[in-house]
Amino acid sequence: MQAYTTLSATFARLGALDDAGGILGWDTQTQMPDGAADTRGEQMAVLKVIAHEILTDPRTSERLDAAEAEAASLGPWERANLREMRRAHVHASAVPGDLVAAASKAATRCEMVWREARADSDFARLRPHLAEVLHLQRLVGEAKGAVLGLSPYDALLDGYDPGMRQARIDPLFSELRAVLPDLVGVVRERQATEAPPLPLPGPFPVSIQRELGLTLMRAAGFDFSRGRLDVSLHPFCGGATDDVRITTRYDEGAVTGALMGVLHETGHALYEQGRPAAWRHQPVGLARGMSLHESQSLLIEMQACRGREFCAYLAPVLREAFSGEGAAWTADNLHRLATRVEPGFIRVDADEVTYPAHVLLRYRLETAMIAGDLAVADLPGAFDAGMKDLLGLTVPSDRLGCLQDIHWPGGSFGYFPTYTLGALAAAQLFAAACTAVPDIRPGLARGDFAPLLGWLRENVHARASLLETDDLLVAATGRPLGTADFLAHLRRRYLGDA
Amino acid sequence: MQAYTTLSATFARLGALDDAGGILGWDTQTQMPDGAADTRGEQMAVLKVIAHEILTDPRTSERLDAAEAEAASLGPWERANLREMRRAHVHASAVPGDLVAAASKAATRCEMVWREARADSDFARLRPHLAEVLHLQRLVGEAKGAVLGLSPYDALLDGYDPGMRQARIDPLFSELRAVLPDLVGVVRERQATEAPPLPLPGPFPVSIQRELGLTLMRAAGFDFSRGRLDVSLHPFCGGATDDVRITTRYDEGAVTGALMGVLHETGHALYEQGRPAAWRHQPVGLARGMSLHESQSLLIEMQACRGREFCAYLAPVLREAFSGEGAAWTADNLHRLATRVEPGFIRVDADEVTYPAHVLLRYRLETAMIAGDLAVADLPGAFDAGMKDLLGLTVPSDRLGCLQDIHWPGGSFGYFPTYTLGALAAAQLFAAACTAVPDIRPGLARGDFAPLLGWLRENVHARASLLETDDLLVAATGRPLGTADFLAHLRRRYLGDA
């Protein structure tokens, strides 16, 4: 036990460093004056370097070996903790320090170039920088893969979604590919036969939007003694253990976007706030990867809050808050606004039916790039061909095409699939929850999330990283991750299937 | 140069850690939800422990020896940097780790007891805890003193105000003791012959107070691209390099308190913002101790902003902001409000003429406690006797007496004198500045701090810790720290002496 106990203390220190970085990261997006960017960059870098030094210290490695040798005497949480410690250690130590530094530097530079290149729709300017980032990420993937016994792409994927593999994703995405384009067409035809939803007439004062957001967060179970709501250019869920901070942005001309954004981030936050206190600051006490994290935000936003039941609760709340009058403020119209399907160029603006197409395309392209089968120079053409293929759209400019996302310039290869894996998991978990707890849907109709949150706490949040993702899904829903519940959900919501 | 260069990198890392802690500290006071207190405590503790480990690492010690051996080849800034590195190293390594932990733990516990004991005016409840804190601080002082060749009190003092010694303070405070009680009496008699100043009639909406504070900060030269103004229960100046954050609190019933508080913290902030960019994150680039820091806040608040010239500028600004009418809004009345003298029980509420009495008393008591000449049990009696002796007041309860300050329960022995040393330095620096730059006073009358700030930048801020405190004062004013300018200032402002 000695080695394990010492490791626990080491990882508690790493957890506290990570939490400190989480608060600084939140501050950077919400509070920091512009002129502090350099010094903040130094603070963040020092915290990261120190954490990396601790994680890759030879003594950490020796203790991991020793603790694993005595693992039989440990309980299940401790063994899972050891497994996550090993994973963190391998990811940190597999890549030589100079490669880490070069990849980080190249990504920072490429991100800066990307901001201008996107504004000017000038892919040529980005190309050499993106090629460099890709080259270095491939080396990172190779280095990690050599230790993990994985392909470079799987090794990168494992950094965002532990245990996820390309061989697991391919059949899931093939099933979606086989169904979704046709489904989008049928849904669009059906929605075209109805009168279009009425836009809610504004303006929507920011102060009222904020109050409303706070009210809905409270209803959903957000604990304000351990979290906050603030404003940032790009909404996110961040902060630290027992200090979960979400952000939104307000547009006085529109309200549903900001509200649904708040509910989305609230889903992430509920996961973070529901992690088990007994394992705070230990790897096993952290959320289980990006797919499950995204499942929690999409479950709250897409499954729960864009459904008929919640719209029935929300409509009169909205109407009263903004003194609305007329047909636009009915529950039915609100639901139709929240479920409008329309293929578009921008991923982050996509509805839940067309969203997977954006992810399938990016997954197809990034696996090819990492495998060396797609050169950066050929990316715009491949992107545009994919948009035609998957959504039937002709991309008018790279700004609306392959330049729209920060992920690749920032060096994040292997992140995109987690959005759609999260959507699948959200549907599967919500279906199981509603079966297990019949009051969940009626609860949403009265603005009461307690029945839903109770199930999520027990079956997802409190488990943290005790189980691998598929094992958690089996424990919670009886099956590993699949597409059936997601597709059934779309057919039910958008085609009225039973 | 090798050892020095390596040390520079080590101390840059320490500086970044310290800055990260500065932002977290600001967040704790201004943003953090209550339920995050424990996890925030862990973050702060981990940052401190890591910094302490780096500072006391045997390799740091070896490199200091090596760098000092080659100091002749270094320039003056590098040599001063090395001096400050050594000081930080000695302070950190002189005290055994278990004593550091015990002292910190006892202080945290004592602070908690103090909050309740003060509320109930119950010294008996505090006594055993304060005795323990005092005992441990005496051990800390002895441990540091043994390495530094100083008495325990001087060793503690050196932690707040490098180079300051009891032997240097005693004659200064004796001079004040000889003059101030009589001076207070004369000023009070004189003010009693005049009609009392008219209170400004409120209410003063918080939003207008905030705008006014921002306007005055901007006028004083605060750089908002590298800093912020926020709200906290206890106003402070904190944050990080290039990210200086001050706070205030608002009372809708009163305005001068919050405004003068903002100007006070702005003085601290200007010092921080004026530190030399070339030495960011190096010890020599830090502000030179608490006395000089306090001199900068008092120079702005007391010397500049409570003076006739600035009141002439401020009166119409205030009148317009709050749509004021009548005699209360004249420059003369405002100046009389800002310079009212009245002995009182509470140090932090004291005017600049009676303030030193509060500090002299605490200095007398804490030096006696550290020397073992005053037992904690005898503190209330000694405190009350001192208040009678120095201010002629009979303390009605310990809440208004020896229980009012957090310093001793928090383990800060040796901090109090810096308030009054700062007041002396403020007067001395302001007098020299006004002599060197004749436009300073006329500038203040038009709300233009540039002439004053220019002199402070060059003579104080940009020097950071290049010079020891007295050497800086000699360079800036021609003399080491003394009482003459402070006393002359009081006689001029309060008795109309030329």
Side-chain angles (χ1 to χ4, degrees):
Chain A
M1 289 291 289
Q2 181 57 40
Y4 175 81
T5 305
T6 309
L7 282 173
S8 294
T10 301
F11 278 85
R13 180 180 279 203
L14 286 168
L17 280 176
D18 199 48
D19 272 353
I23 297 298
L24 292 178
W26 170 87
D27 187 275
T28 303
Q29 305 292 324
T30 62
Q31 310 287 335
M32 188 187 79
D34 289 346
D38 284 353
T39 188
R40 176 60 51 83
E42 292 163 23
Q43 294 157 25
M44 301 289 275
V46 163
L47 292 186
K48 276 197 184 145
V49 168
I50 288 173
H52 191 264
E53 287 174 0
I54 294 172
L55 202 46
T56 58
D57 189 305
R59 285 169 298 182
T60 303
S61 188
E62 286 160 23
R63 283 176 194 135
L64 273 170
D65 293 340
E68 284 168 351
E70 64 187 18
S73 66
L74 297 173
W77 279 89
E78 288 80 2
R79 279 203 304 276
N81 200 22
L82 204 48
R83 179 193 72 215
E84 297 305 315
M85 289 172 174
R86 170 63 74 182
R87 190 193 313 273
H89 175 71
V90 166
H91 272 280
S93 54
V95 189
D98 52 353
L99 177 53
V100 172
S104 165
K105 205 168 155 190
T108 301
R109 200 183 321 112
C110 189
E111 269 189 36
M112 286 172 58
V113 173
W114 167 75
R115 281 173 217 284
E116 294 173 4
R118 181 174 69 157
D120 300 343
S121 200
D122 182 2
F123 184 80
R125 205 186 318 170
L126 182 70
R127 198 173 55 207
H129 298 281
L130 184 56
E132 176 70 6
V133 168
L134 171 63
H135 169 67
L136 292 166
Q137 284 303 317
R138 202 186 287 131
L139 293 181
V140 169
E142 286 169 1
K144 290 188 174 185
V147 180
L148 290 162
L150 295 174
S151 74
Y153 186 78
D154 275 351
L156 294 173
L157 191 56
D158 195 80
Y160 300 110
D161 204 15
M164 189 50 70
R165 303 288 178 258
Q166 201 173 346
R168 182 85 182 80
I169 298 173
D170 283 339
L172 296 172
F173 281 13
S174 290
E175 290 168 42
L176 297 179
R177 172 70 187 86
V179 173
L180 284 182
D182 288 348
L183 186 68
V184 169
V186 178
V187 171
R188 295 268 292 155
E189 276 170 36
R190 184 186 162 103
Q191 292 193 342
T193 65
E194 304 163 352
L198 302 165
L200 292 182
F204 308 95
V206 166
S207 62
I208 300 181
Q209 289 197 53
R210 176 173 157 80
E211 280 309 312
L212 203 53
L214 294 172
T215 300
L216 296 178
M217 287 169 72
R218 213 168 276 121
F222 187 95
D223 176 359
F224 281 96
S225 79
R226 298 187 297 135
R228 298 177 48 94
L229 168 68
D230 295 277
V231 173
S232 70
L233 187 58
H234 301 287
F236 65 93
C237 171
T241 306
D242 287 337
D243 195 356
V244 181
R245 303 182 177 194
I246 71 171
T247 66
T248 188
R249 60 184 158 198
Y250 299 105
D251 170 0
E252 297 230 322
V255 67
T256 41
L259 275 192
M260 287 298 159
V262 166
L263 289 162
H264 182 95
E265 301 306 335
T266 297
H268 284 304
L270 293 174
Y271 192 6
E272 289 294 321
Q273 292 192 329
R275 296 195 282 116
W279 297 95
R280 61 147 52 170
H281 284 173
Q282 291 297 315
V284 74
L286 296 175
R288 160 87 310 183
M290 293 317 302
S291 291
L292 267 187
H293 228 308
E294 192 68 9
S295 84
Q296 295 308 290
S297 55
L298 291 174
L299 193 154
I300 295 296
E301 181 201 349
M302 292 291 176
Q303 297 289 325
C305 294
R306 289 183 191 258
R308 280 205 182 277
E309 294 84 1
F310 186 73
C311 286
Y313 160 77
L314 184 59
V317 172
L318 271 179
R319 192 167 54 227
E320 186 173 346
F322 297 106
S323 308
E325 284 178 22
W329 301 88
T330 63
D332 182 63
N333 188 62
L334 185 61
H335 178 63
R336 294 200 292 134
L337 278 170
T339 55
R340 193 71 178 167
V341 174
E342 189 167 357
F345 298 111
I346 301 299
R347 176 184 58 83
V348 296
D349 293 338
D351 56 81
E352 64 179 328
V353 188
T354 58
Y355 199 108
H358 294 274
V359 170
L360 265 56
L361 170 58
R362 284 156 179 76
Y363 174 69
R364 181 192 294 177
L365 300 177
E366 72 178 15
T367 50
M369 282 192 280
I370 292 293
D373 297 334
L374 175 65
V376 167
D378 298 326
L379 179 61
F383 192 98
D384 297 355
M387 284 295 280
K388 189 81 198 166
D389 171 41
L390 286 160
L391 283 172
L393 294 177
T394 303
V395 177
S397 74
D398 289 337
R399 190 171 62 80
L400 297 175
C402 66
L403 283 177
Q404 69 184 274
D405 293 308
I406 197 175
H407 299 60
W408 294 332
S412 293
F413 291 81
Y415 191 104
F416 278 124
T418 67
Y419 292 117
T420 288
L421 297 172
L424 301 185
Q428 191 165 325
L429 289 165
F430 191 65
C434 290
T435 301
V437 185
D439 195 35
I440 285 179
R441 287 183 185 276
L444 293 172
R446 45 176 206 270
D448 176 9
F449 287 69
L452 173 59
L453 186 57
W455 190 91
L456 290 173
R457 284 273 184 263
E458 182 183 340
N459 288 279
V460 181
H461 305 173
R463 283 178 166 141
S465 287
L466 175 64
L467 305 176
E468 301 269 7
T469 305
D470 260 337
D471 294 338
L472 185 143
L473 281 165
V474 169
T477 73
R479 286 171 291 148
L481 188 65
T483 61
D485 287 317
F486 179 68
L487 292 173
H489 156 73
L490 294 185
R491 289 195 181 101
R492 194 164 47 239
R493 174 171 287 173
Y494 294 91
L495 299 177
D497 290 7
Chain B
M1 289 291 288
Q2 181 57 39
Y4 175 82
T5 305
T6 308
L7 282 172
S8 293
T10 301
F11 278 85
R13 180 180 281 204
L14 286 168
L17 279 177
D18 198 49
D19 273 352
I23 297 297
L24 292 179
W26 169 87
D27 187 275
T28 303
Q29 304 292 327
T30 63
Q31 310 286 334
M32 188 187 78
D34 289 345
D38 285 353
T39 191
R40 176 60 50 83
E42 292 163 23
Q43 295 157 25
M44 301 289 276
V46 162
L47 293 186
K48 276 197 185 145
V49 168
I50 288 173
H52 191 264
E53 286 174 0
I54 295 172
L55 202 46
T56 58
D57 189 305
R59 286 169 298 184
T60 303
S61 188
E62 287 160 22
R63 283 175 194 134
L64 273 169
D65 293 341
E68 283 168 352
E70 63 188 20
S73 67
L74 298 173
W77 278 89
E78 287 80 2
R79 279 204 304 277
N81 201 22
L82 204 48
R83 179 193 72 217
E84 298 305 316
M85 290 172 174
R86 171 62 75 182
R87 189 192 315 269
H89 176 71
V90 167
H91 273 278
S93 54
V95 189
D98 52 353
L99 177 54
V100 172
S104 165
K105 207 169 153 189
T108 302
R109 201 184 321 112
C110 189
E111 270 188 36
M112 284 172 59
V113 174
W114 167 75
R115 282 173 217 284
E116 294 173 4
R118 182 175 68 159
D120 300 343
S121 201
D122 182 1
F123 184 79
R125 204 185 318 171
L126 182 70
R127 199 173 55 206
H129 298 280
L130 184 56
E132 176 70 6
V133 167
L134 171 62
H135 169 67
L136 291 166
Q137 285 302 318
R138 201 187 287 131
L139 294 181
V140 169
E142 285 169 2
K144 289 188 175 184
V147 180
L148 291 162
L150 295 174
S151 74
Y153 186 80
D154 275 351
L156 294 172
L157 192 57
D158 195 80
Y160 301 109
D161 204 15
M164 189 51 69
R165 303 287 178 259
Q166 202 173 346
R168 182 84 182 80
I169 297 173
D170 282 340
L172 296 172
F173 281 12
S174 290
E175 289 168 42
L176 297 178
R177 173 70 187 85
V179 173
L180 284 182
D182 289 348
L183 186 66
V184 169
V186 178
V187 170
R188 295 266 294 155
E189 277 171 34
R190 184 187 162 105
Q191 292 192 342
T193 65
E194 304 164 352
L198 302 165
L200 292 182
F204 308 96
V206 166
S207 62
I208 299 179
Q209 288 198 52
R210 176 172 157 81
E211 279 310 311
L212 202 54
L214 294 172
T215 301
L216 296 179
M217 286 169 72
R218 213 168 277 122
F222 187 94
D223 176 359
F224 280 95
S225 78
R226 297 188 296 133
R228 298 175 49 93
L229 169 67
D230 295 277
V231 172
S232 70
L233 187 59
H234 301 287
F236 65 91
C237 171
T241 308
D242 287 337
D243 195 356
V244 181
R245 302 180 177 195
I246 70 171
T247 67
T248 187
R249 60 184 159 199
Y250 301 105
D251 171 0
E252 297 230 323
V255 67
T256 41
L259 275 191
M260 287 298 160
V262 165
L263 289 162
H264 182 95
E265 301 305 334
T266 297
H268 284 303
L270 293 173
Y271 191 6
E272 288 295 321
Q273 292 192 329
R275 295 196 282 118
W279 297 95
R280 62 148 49 172
H281 283 173
Q282 291 297 315
V284 73
L286 297 175
R288 161 86 310 184
M290 292 317 302
S291 291
L292 267 186
H293 228 308
E294 193 67 11
S295 84
Q296 296 307 290
S297 54
L298 291 173
L299 193 153
I300 295 296
E301 181 201 350
M302 292 291 177
Q303 298 289 323
C305 294
R306 290 183 189 257
R308 279 202 182 279
E309 295 83 1
F310 185 73
C311 286
Y313 159 78
L314 183 60
V317 171
L318 271 179
R319 191 166 55 225
E320 186 173 346
F322 297 106
S323 308
E325 284 177 22
W329 301 88
T330 62
D332 182 61
N333 188 61
L334 185 63
H335 177 64
R336 292 200 295 134
L337 278 171
T339 55
R340 193 70 177 168
V341 175
E342 188 166 357
F345 298 112
I346 301 299
R347 176 184 58 83
V348 295
D349 293 337
D351 59 80
E352 64 178 328
V353 188
T354 59
Y355 199 108
H358 295 273
V359 171
L360 264 57
L361 171 57
R362 286 156 179 77
Y363 173 70
R364 182 193 292 175
L365 299 176
E366 71 177 16
T367 49
M369 282 192 280
I370 292 292
D373 297 334
L374 175 64
V376 167
D378 299 327
L379 180 59
F383 192 98
D384 297 355
M387 284 296 279
K388 189 80 198 166
D389 170 41
L390 286 160
L391 284 172
L393 294 177
T394 303
V395 176
S397 74
D398 289 337
R399 190 172 63 79
L400 298 175
C402 66
L403 282 176
Q404 69 183 274
D405 293 309
I406 196 174
H407 300 59
W408 293 332
S412 294
F413 290 81
Y415 191 104
F416 278 125
T418 67
Y419 292 117
T420 288
L421 297 172
L424 302 184
Q428 192 165 324
L429 289 165
F430 191 66
C434 290
T435 301
V437 184
D439 194 35
I440 285 177
R441 287 182 184 276
L444 293 172
R446 46 177 206 271
D448 176 9
F449 287 70
L452 173 58
L453 185 56
W455 190 90
L456 290 174
R457 284 274 184 262
E458 182 182 339
N459 288 280
V460 181
H461 305 173
R463 282 177 168 143
S465 288
L466 174 64
L467 306 176
E468 301 269 7
T469 305
D470 260 336
D471 293 339
L472 184 143
L473 280 165
V474 169
T477 72
R479 284 172 293 147
L481 188 64
T483 61
D485 287 317
F486 178 68
L487 293 172
H489 156 72
L490 294 184
R491 290 194 180 100
R492 193 164 47 240
R493 175 172 287 175
Y494 294 90
L495 299 177
D497 288 8

